Each structure stands twice: as structure tokens, then as C-alpha cells.
Amino acid sequence: MTETKTARVERTLREWIGGAKLAPGDKVPSERVLSEELGIGRTALRTVLGRLVAEGVLEVRGRSSYRVPEHGPERHVTGATTAGGLEPWQIYGSRPLYNNRWVRLELVDVEPPGVPRFEHHVVRLQHVAITAVLDDKDRVLMLWRYRFVPDQWGWELPGGIVDEGEDGPACAAREVEEETGWRPADLEHIATFQPMVGMVDSPHSVYVARHAEKVGEPTDAEEAGRVQWVPLTEVRELMARGQLMGAGTMVALLHLLAAQQEGLTASA
């Protein structure tokens, strides 16, 4: 898909703010300078700047002067409410270190109960939807693929990032079809969880579908791997061999194994 001019400009500004070009407290170049340097009209530029201000990435100083927010104690936000007599951490604000459409790295000003206030690194990623598709032979639709970060081949369930304006089930169905060529039906939401709650904000929604129709070949070349129906009876062995990749894949398959065991127990 071709990147629009406003999307390109927004990405560039986020990279400037998240990199070395614009530090906290720095004044952003004037609209005239930005318009000429980035090759965008003033009206479209103001739309981008307004979006960044609404997100807290920039702040307005004066009529049309923009700055990168400074780290400071002026905001005092309490997170979760008190639970079971325990107090949540106090959150005073945050400042971006790096930001683009895929990942945002922040320093968050926090104060745990009874602990001196400090800055905590937080990585914010996109919302992800993952689907386990079962057939009538208790086989699950999986992808054998390479992941360069762990430098490993392994089995994964189809899934991907929920697009802006898209809901979880729609994303789950779309990703299955794009990555496997199968169109799932009757999606059931199993859980939404955070795989690394100490430092990473990355909501994962897991779905199960028990029917699917073959509609073509995979269309997502970047995510393509070997598509295969894998018997659930082989999942424990794959897990023991370290060939299951990704927290969402593990959660979905463990759910299916537990459900299968409950069914066997109930029928015994």
C-alpha cells in the first residue's frame, strides 16, 4: 500500500521526536519551515500536528508554536484503584525516547508504594489478534516459518496487528485468510492478555474457530510459511522440542488442549 503524504510526514516527525533531532523541551521548527522541508501544505501539516498534540507527543506554546513536552511532575495520575488493601503505583507522566507506527519506547515517571520515585522504561506495541482454527479431525491450522529475531524455525498460529478502526475478530479472520488461504467462521474470543507485563504493553487477543473454508492461496508474502494442519495430539511434543513460537500460539494451544481434556474427562 502506498504511504500517503500525511502519513509520511507524521512518521518523520515521530522519528525526529523519538530520535536525536528533537529532545524533550525542544521547540519544533515553524510551520513554514516544516512545510518546505517536508513537502506538505500548511493545512495538511496542521492536521498532523494536531494529531500529535492530541496524543501528547507535542504540546502547543502560543498560537502556532510547538514543543516536545518536557519531563515534569505537573501531571499526577493514579493507575488502578486500591485492591485488597494494596496501593497501585503512582504515575506522574512520561516522555518518548523513540516512536514510530510499530513501537514506542517511553520513560515513565513512577512511584511504587514505599519506594523512591524513578523512571521506568516501557515499550508499547500494537494490539495483536491470533487465531487457532480447528477442523473436524482435531487438527489445528499452523504455519512453519522462520523468525530472524530468535533466529529460529518453528510453528505459529496465524495472527497480526489490529489495524486502526478494525476490531479484533475482523483482524483475526483477515490474518488467517491472508496468511493461510483459509477463511475461518464462528470465531470465539478466548482471552486478551499481556505477555510481558513488567515492561512491555502489548495486548494479545486470542480466538478459536472450528470451521474454515479454503478460498485460495496465502496473499501475505512477508508472513508466508508452510501451511499445515497439525494434529492436536502432536502439540505437547512440539512444545517439548521448543518448536512452538510466540506467547499467543502457546496460550491458544494450551486452551485447546485443556478443552480437549475436559471433553475426554466428561465422556469417560
Side-chain angles (χ1 to χ4, degrees):
M1 181 182 296
T2 303
E3 188 177 37
T4 65
K5 183 178 294 187
T6 55
R8 173 183 58 79
V9 169
E10 181 175 343
R11 173 176 54 78
T12 299
L13 289 173
R14 289 181 186 274
E15 289 172 353
W16 286 2
I17 296 165
K21 187 161 185 174
L22 289 172
D26 283 354
K27 183 178 178 180
V28 177
S30 68
E31 290 183 357
R32 179 184 60 79
V33 171
L34 288 176
S35 178
E36 293 174 357
E37 186 171 351
L38 298 175
I40 189 172
R42 290 281 190 96
T43 301
L45 174 63
R46 286 168 183 158
T47 299
V48 173
L49 293 171
R51 186 180 301 126
L52 295 178
V53 169
E55 292 181 17
V57 178
L58 292 177
E59 60 185 17
V60 179
R61 295 288 182 89
R63 185 166 176 265
S64 59
S65 176
Y66 299 88
R67 291 182 184 270
V68 179
E70 289 183 311
H71 178 54
E74 64 278 5
R75 285 185 65 229
H76 187 281
V77 181
T78 300
T81 57
T82 301
L86 300 175
E87 294 292 329
W89 291 19
Q90 300 299 310
I91 306 169
Y92 292 90
S94 65
R95 57 189 176 97
L97 298 180
Y98 177 80
N99 192 20
N100 65 22
R101 61 174 297 198
W102 306 107
V103 59
R104 177 182 174 91
L105 174 61
E106 299 176 352
L107 274 177
V108 183
D109 185 4
V110 297
E111 184 178 13
V115 176
R117 182 170 161 183
F118 67 97
E119 286 189 312
H120 194 297
H121 282 85
V122 175
V123 180
R124 301 194 188 278
L125 305 178
Q126 301 278 18
H127 182 196
V128 172
I130 299 140
T131 308
V133 182
L134 279 174
D135 67 5
D136 56 5
K137 298 178 182 178
D138 274 344
R139 299 179 303 177
V140 62
L141 186 61
M142 300 191 74
L143 296 164
W144 175 260
R145 56 167 58 147
Y146 173 75
R147 290 295 189 183
F148 84 93
V149 175
D151 188 22
Q152 180 183 345
W153 288 90
W155 292 102
E156 288 183 29
L157 296 175
I161 292 173
V162 180
D163 290 338
E164 184 177 354
E166 185 179 39
D167 62 20
C171 171
R174 174 180 57 77
E175 290 287 344
V176 172
E177 185 171 335
E178 288 177 356
E179 295 184 0
T180 70
W182 289 80
R183 180 174 297 162
D186 304 324
L187 272 73
E188 175 188 1
H189 178 251
I190 299 303
T192 296
F193 72 99
Q194 292 274 4
M196 297 178 65
V197 293
M199 189 176 289
V200 179
D201 174 22
S202 177
H204 281 49
S205 294
V206 177
Y207 298 85
V208 169
R210 301 188 181 275
H211 304 284
E213 174 190 5
K214 180 70 172 177
V215 294
E217 296 302 318
T219 58
D220 192 335
E222 181 181 348
E223 298 290 346
R226 188 173 84 234
V227 180
Q228 187 169 321
W229 290 95
V230 177
L232 273 179
T233 54
E234 297 181 8
V235 165
R236 288 187 178 88
E237 182 180 351
L238 295 175
M239 191 181 303
R241 295 205 303 257
Q243 290 186 338
L244 297 180
M245 296 197 297
T249 292
M250 296 286 280
V251 168
L253 293 178
L254 288 172
H255 169 82
L256 291 178
L257 290 176
Q260 185 185 58
Q261 185 63 40
E262 288 176 4
L264 290 174
T265 302
S267 62

